[in-house]
Amino acid sequence: MLNVLKTRWRQKHRTMAYPGGPAPALSDRFAGRPVIRGECPRGCHACRDECPVDALHPDADLIHLDMGRCLFCRACADACPQGNIVFTHRHQLAAARREDLVASAASPERTEALSMIAHKFFRRSLKLRQVSAGGCNACEADANVLGTPAWDMGRFGIQFVASPRHADGLLITGPVTENMRLALEKTYAAVPEPRIVIACGACAVNGGPFVDHPEVHNGADSQLPVDLYIPGCPPHPLTILDGLLRLLGRPVPTQRPPG
């Protein structure tokens, strides 16, 4: 025990300053909020043809990219001969409405994520039961990172709990497989009202790469009312934390990185 205390003393303070200070550095490989630029030549479907999950829908001369479906693989950006699709380093992707995840040239830099129920009842203390409804464990792992000393989600009063009866809502990952459908419904029913639901990751938002498979239900909102959508495959911990804070109406800085 003494050695543990000595080690922690040498390590000093490890929790990041965000959101009171700068956000942690993101890898150069990080693909964040896409920006749609310019018009497309008529008949050019190069981006749509390369997308593995049909997340792009060229409409006349415009592109609509559904971040809820998107795996952020950048295949569309590499395929676009005009360079009209650019994935930035903007991590603020979460939205309260599913339709706000569709990016176009007219989309704002950041979508609204506030829930009035969450702001009223859970602003200072939010307890979540995480449900893996057929997930691959990538979204689950990035959500669990928020409990480490570096991120320390608990300093905002946000924690994962073991029992839905102790929870204020659910954080759901995975496409909701048929085998997990009933378990998810029972878990939701065990959460006392008022309660919120968060769909975390492409699978929970829209089914991800498994969309329309006969054994999945294409995401959480096919079964439950969803208050917050966090896209990504998987979403970065910073994206998840930003979404949770904005859901509660907690102040977070607007990110405006180069590009």
Side-chain angles (χ1 to χ4, degrees), residues 192-210:
E193 296 184 355
R195 56 197 171 193
I196 60 172
V197 174
I198 300 164
C200 183
C203 290
V205 172
N206 197 79
F210 310 103

Side-chain angles (χ1 to χ4, degrees), residues 33-34 36 64-65 67 100-111:
R33 186 175 187 83
I36 311 300
H64 295 84
L65 193 159
M67 293 187 293
D100 287 343
L101 294 181
V102 179
S104 67
S107 294
E109 290 186 4
R110 186 175 74 171
T111 52

Side-chain angles (χ1 to χ4, degrees), residues 3 5 40 52 68 71 83 85-88 98-100 107 175 189 196-197 205 207 220 222 251 256 259:
N3 288 335
L5 293 174
C40 299
L71 304 183
I85 304 173
V86 178
F87 284 88
T88 70
R98 176 66 181 87
E99 56 266 32
D100 287 343
S107 294
I196 60 172
V197 174
V205 172
S222 66
R256 297 175 181 270

